[in-house]
Amino acid sequence: MRYLLSLIVENKHGVLAKISQVITGRGYNISTLSVGPSHDEDTSRMVLAFDCEEKIIQQVVKQLNKLIDVIKVFLIDENNSIERELVLIKIARKKETEESLFRLTQIFNAKIINVNHKTFSIELTAQPKIINNFIDNIRAFGIQDLLRTGPLAI
Amino acid sequence: MRYLLSLIVENKHGVLAKISQVITGRGYNISTLSVGPSHDEDTSRMVLAFDCEEKIIQQVVKQLNKLIDVIKVFLIDENNSIERELVLIKIARKKETEESLFRLTQIFNAKIINVNHKTFSIELTAQPKIINNFIDNIRAFGIQDLLRTGPLAI
C-alpha cells in the first residue's frame, strides 16, 4: 500500500540521509520525495511516498518521530487532505498531432510554457491521479523528457 | 552561489542516500530536492539545489556522474531552461483581510483550492522567484502551513 508522509524537520546537515535510512534500512524504496523550505527559516517541509504493509507504517512513523532533527511527522489521510503535484513534460512537435495535443492540454488545464521547432514544453499542476492520467494520454505524442515533483499534501 | 542539478537515476535501492552523501559529505546542504518517476519505468528524475563555490560545482557533477546508478547529470543553465515550482500555503481566514487576499491570489494567478471557517488553502505554480515574492506578500495574512516542491527545470 502507498503511504504519504509529511514531515517538519530542522534545517540540519544530514537530516535527509537519516530519514531515508529509516525507510530504506527496512528494505522499502522511497518512490517520490519533495523537500523545500517552510515559512519558518529554521525548518524544512518534506513529503515522501513509499509502499509498505499496513502493520509497518506506524512503526516507521514512530521511528521517524524519534529522530532528533524531526519535529513532526504526519501520516497523510487522503480523505482529509488535498494533494497536488507538478509535472513538466517535453513533447515532440509534429504538425499532424498538434491539434490533438492542444485539445488535450485544454481538457486537463495544462499550460504550454515553451515551444521551439522540435518540442513543446508543458506544465500541469493537479492531483497525482490526474497527472498519471494526463501522462497516459500524452504518451502517444512522444515524451522526450518528464519531471514530477511527487505529491505535496495540505 | 546556488546551483541546480537535474539527474536521471536508476530506480535502485539507496541511490538517494549515495547522491546526498556526495553533496553533504563535502559539507554542503541540499536546500531543495524533488524526486519523482520519469516517463521510463526504470528511472527517476531528480532535481536538487544547493549552494557552493563555483570551482566546486564541476567536481560535484563529475563525482555524481561516477556513481553507478546515476545515468546522467545536468547542470541547469538558467538562461536555457524553464524553472517551475509548486507551493501550497494555508492562510488564516479573517474577514477584514479576505478581500486583499483574494486580490493578491488574482495578481499572482494563484488558486484557492480549499476553504473552511478558519483557513484558506492556496496553490501556486510559478518560477521560484515569483513564488518567493508571493510568499513575501502573503506572510502578513498569517501563514499556518507552507510546503514547496523545490524547482523543476526543463
Side-chain angles (χ1 to χ4, degrees), chain A residues 6 8 11-14 16-17 20-21 23-40 44-47 74 82-90 109 111 113-114 121-123 125-126 135 139 143-150 152-154, chain B residues 6 8 11-14 16-17 20-21 23-40 44-47 74 82-90 109 111 113-114 121-123 125-126 135 139 143-150 152-154:
Chain A
S6 179
I8 305 177
N11 279 341
K12 293 250 176 82
H13 200 78
L16 176 63
S20 66
Q21 176 54 28
I23 291 158
T24 57
R26 282 172 173 267
Y28 301 111
N29 236 336
I30 297 172
S31 52
T32 73
L33 173 66
S34 259
V35 190
S38 76
H39 55 300
D40 159 17
S44 286
R45 288 295 246 116
M46 200 179 279
V47 181
F74 309 88
I82 299 179
E83 290 178 32
R84 284 292 184 280
E85 184 173 6
L86 164 64
V87 64
L88 299 182
I89 307 178
K90 198 174 269 185
N109 263 319
K111 269 190 200 169
I113 54 172
N114 200 13
S121 296
I122 300 174
E123 164 203 314
T125 300
I135 295 170
R139 207 176 280 280
I143 299 178
Q144 300 200 343
D145 200 5
L146 185 155
L147 296 98
R148 296 175 72 156
T149 57
L152 295 185
I154 204 161
Chain B
S6 179
I8 306 176
N11 279 341
K12 293 250 177 82
H13 200 79
L16 176 64
S20 67
Q21 176 55 28
I23 291 158
T24 58
R26 283 173 172 266
Y28 302 110
N29 236 338
I30 297 172
S31 52
T32 72
L33 173 67
S34 259
V35 190
S38 76
H39 55 300
D40 159 17
S44 287
R45 287 296 246 114
M46 200 178 280
V47 181
F74 309 88
I82 299 179
E83 291 177 32
R84 283 292 184 278
E85 183 173 6
L86 163 64
V87 63
L88 298 182
I89 307 178
K90 197 174 268 184
N109 263 320
K111 269 191 200 169
I113 54 172
N114 199 14
S121 296
I122 300 174
E123 164 203 313
T125 300
I135 294 170
R139 208 177 280 280
I143 299 178
Q144 300 199 343
D145 200 4
L146 186 155
L147 295 98
R148 296 175 72 157
T149 57
L152 295 184
I154 205 162

Side-chain angles (χ1 to χ4, degrees), chain A:
Chain A
M1 183 144 172
R2 165 74 42 106
Y3 290 99
L4 205 60
L5 295 181
S6 179
L7 291 89
I8 305 177
V9 303
E10 303 267 5
N11 279 341
K12 293 250 176 82
H13 200 78
V15 54
L16 176 63
K18 282 178 211 157
I19 288 166
S20 66
Q21 176 54 28
V22 166
I23 291 158
T24 57
R26 282 172 173 267
Y28 301 111
N29 236 336
I30 297 172
S31 52
T32 73
L33 173 66
S34 259
V35 190
S38 76
H39 55 300
D40 159 17
E41 265 189 16
D42 302 326
T43 64
S44 286
R45 288 295 246 116
M46 200 179 279
V47 181
L48 58 86
F50 66 106
D51 297 289
C52 77
E53 297 92 68
E54 204 184 334
K55 59 179 180 183
I56 303 295
I57 185 66
Q58 292 300 341
Q59 295 174 24
V60 170
V61 170
K62 241 183 235 171
Q63 214 178 332
L64 288 173
N65 261 318
K66 275 186 197 161
L67 292 177
I68 221 157
D69 298 331
V70 171
I71 298 166
K72 207 161 179 182
V73 183
F74 309 88
L75 180 58
I76 300 296
D77 172 2
E78 272 194 8
N79 302 314
N80 288 312
S81 67
I82 299 179
E83 290 178 32
R84 284 292 184 280
E85 184 173 6
L86 164 64
V87 64
L88 299 182
I89 307 178
K90 198 174 269 185
I91 297 282
R93 183 175 180 180
K94 298 173 200 145
K95 195 129 203 111
E96 61 275 24
T97 55
E98 229 172 77
E99 265 314 306
S100 22
L101 183 64
F102 288 164
R103 221 169 300 141
L104 195 64
T105 56
Q106 273 184 334
I107 291 169
F108 280 87
N109 263 319
K111 269 190 200 169
I112 297 177
I113 54 172
N114 200 13
V115 58
N116 58 36
H117 291 298
K118 291 183 179 169
T119 60
F120 287 105
S121 296
I122 300 174
E123 164 203 314
L124 175 61
T125 300
Q127 290 175 59
K129 59 183 172 193
I130 302 289
I131 303 252
N132 291 341
N133 201 355
F134 182 64
I135 295 170
D136 282 349
N137 275 283
I138 217 162
R139 207 176 280 280
F141 294 95
I143 299 178
Q144 300 200 343
D145 200 5
L146 185 155
L147 296 98
R148 296 175 72 156
T149 57
L152 295 185
I154 204 161

Side-chain angles (χ1 to χ4, degrees), chain B residues 70-133:
Chain B
V70 171
I71 298 166
K72 207 161 178 182
V73 183
F74 309 88
L75 179 58
I76 300 295
D77 172 1
E78 272 193 9
N79 303 314
N80 288 314
S81 66
I82 299 179
E83 291 177 32
R84 283 292 184 278
E85 183 173 6
L86 163 64
V87 63
L88 298 182
I89 307 178
K90 197 174 268 184
I91 296 282
R93 183 175 180 180
K94 298 174 200 144
K95 194 127 204 111
E96 62 274 24
T97 54
E98 229 171 78
E99 264 315 305
S100 21
L101 183 65
F102 288 164
R103 220 168 300 141
L104 195 63
T105 55
Q106 273 184 333
I107 292 169
F108 280 87
N109 263 320
K111 269 191 200 169
I112 296 177
I113 54 172
N114 199 14
V115 56
N116 59 35
H117 290 298
K118 290 182 181 169
T119 60
F120 286 105
S121 296
I122 300 174
E123 164 203 313
L124 175 62
T125 300
Q127 290 174 58
K129 61 183 171 191
I130 302 290
I131 303 251
N132 291 340
N133 201 355

